[in-house]
Amino acid sequence: GVKIAQLLRSQNVKTELTIDVGKLSAQMKYADKKGFPAVAIIGETEFRNNTVTLKDLKTGTQYNEISIDTMASKRQELGLMA
C-alpha cells in the first residue's frame, strides 16, 4: 500500500492510504463522500501478485489485476482522474 501511495504521489495523484481492517463497504462510502473518482483495493491476492483492483466509484466498475507499475497510466486511460 505504501509503495503504491508513494508511486501515485510522485506522479502528482492525490492519494490517501488506509490500513483500516473495517468493512470495505464503509471505506468505499468514505472515499465516495470525499469525492474520489476511484479507489485501489489491495487484498491478500493483490498483495501477493503485486497488483491492485481499481474500482470506479461512479459506475461501480472494477478493473482487476492491474499491475502496480502501470496503475497510474491505466487510471488515466480509464478516465479515473480527480
Side-chain angles (χ1 to χ4, degrees):
V2 173
K3 177 182 174 184
I4 295 168
Q6 289 172 334
L7 172 69
L8 291 172
R9 288 176 182 142
S10 75
Q11 297 174 7
N12 296 318
V13 176
K14 293 179 185 177
T15 306
E16 193 168 314
L17 178 67
T18 180
I19 53 172
D20 187 356
V21 294
K23 290 188 177 187
L24 187 58
S25 61
Q27 294 175 32
M28 294 293 170
K29 286 179 186 176
Y30 172 80
D32 190 46
K33 185 177 179 180
K34 295 278 282 192
F36 298 147
V39 294
I41 303 166
I42 306 168
E44 290 180 33
T45 301
E46 290 88 356
F47 184 78
R48 277 194 311 269
N49 296 331
N50 209 33
T51 62
V52 300
T53 294
L54 285 178
K55 182 167 184 171
D56 182 329
L57 293 178
K58 291 182 183 177
T59 67
T61 304
Q62 281 194 188
Y63 304 92
N64 300 316
E65 298 183 24
I66 306 294
S67 164
I68 289 173
D69 297 326
T70 62
M71 187 177 71
S73 61
K74 185 69 172 178
R75 186 178 159 268
Q76 186 173 9
E77 175 187 322
L78 295 170
L80 301 175
M81 305 300 288

